[in-house]
Amino acid sequence: MARLWGGGGGDLLRRAAVETPPWRLTPSAAYHRTIQAVPREHTGSRVAAKLRAAGFIPSVVLIPGEGGGPATRKQLLSTEAKQIREILKQSPFFSSTPIHLQVRAGPRSAVVLDSGTVLPIKVHRKEETGEILNLVMAWAEKGLELKLDVPVVYKGEDVCPGLKKGGYLHKIRTSLKYLCPTEHIPPKIEVDLTNLDIGDRVLMHDIEVHPSLKLLSKNDTMPICKILATKPVEPEPKPISEATETQEAAGV
């Protein structure tokens, strides 16, 4: 899997202001099923800032090693910020759902340099504003295995016997890490609370998934959630001494 091609994206910023990418003319459904990207030649904070100002997101696609081993190389890309924001609205489990990627020679080019299935791994955002800073993906072609954190979703809270009695759902895990074949990546893990009473818990090994998935935990008897009689009292923060404040200010 070579996936090597020339840059071709050096004049991306100049062309972006005057050209309409062809994928904006496609139907809405296709628009949300395929990420469109163009090659990016340069890195650095200044380049990234200019791309974001022009409406693009600095992105990378990790290339797995031989036999699906850890990624040793990456492709530099630019994706359209507007499209990524729209896809995120449509896909609440974006970072655990494989999606198609097309890499075009330029913003208006009909030439597709590369295409295939990728798994979005991380969407980095600016903490203060939520602005997308960059996007990390990995090629997820059939036959490969990827490690990923699958989000945990709780269902049946409205009929849970323990909660109806006034109990409290203590959510311990928000995700579980699995080694997944790319053809069996689950977008989410559902925890059913329908029959749980006060004192009951759900353990990691209680979750039913496709047999090809491997839970990456040293102890699969750890709880994912518990139904407690009452909400636990949060401990009051310890007062910070003057000595501690001095140490923190000094970076100790």
Short mmCIF file of all heavy atoms in Angstrom, two decimals, residues 160 182-183 188:
data_model
loop_
_atom_site.label_atom_id
_atom_site.label_comp_id
_atom_site.label_asym_id
_atom_site.label_seq_id
_atom_site.Cartn_x
_atom_site.Cartn_y
_atom_site.Cartn_z
N CYS A 160 -35.37 1.83 34.13
CA CYS A 160 -34.46 1.13 35.05
C CYS A 160 -35.10 1.06 36.45
O CYS A 160 -35.41 2.10 37.05
CB CYS A 160 -33.13 1.85 35.11
SG CYS A 160 -31.97 1.17 36.31
N THR A 182 -11.25 -3.85 10.75
CA THR A 182 -11.89 -2.67 10.18
C THR A 182 -13.31 -2.95 9.69
O THR A 182 -14.15 -2.04 9.68
CB THR A 182 -11.06 -2.12 9.02
OG1 THR A 182 -10.78 -3.19 8.09
CG2 THR A 182 -9.75 -1.54 9.52
N GLU A 183 -13.60 -4.19 9.30
CA GLU A 183 -14.94 -4.49 8.81
C GLU A 183 -15.95 -4.70 9.93
O GLU A 183 -17.16 -4.86 9.68
CB GLU A 183 -14.93 -5.71 7.89
CG GLU A 183 -14.33 -6.96 8.49
CD GLU A 183 -12.84 -7.11 8.17
OE1 GLU A 183 -12.13 -6.09 8.16
OE2 GLU A 183 -12.41 -8.24 7.94
N LYS A 188 -20.55 2.39 18.53
CA LYS A 188 -20.81 2.62 19.95
C LYS A 188 -21.01 1.29 20.66
O LYS A 188 -21.24 0.25 20.03
CB LYS A 188 -22.06 3.49 20.12
CG LYS A 188 -23.32 2.85 19.54
CD LYS A 188 -24.52 3.75 19.64
CE LYS A 188 -25.74 3.11 18.96
NZ LYS A 188 -26.93 3.96 19.04
#
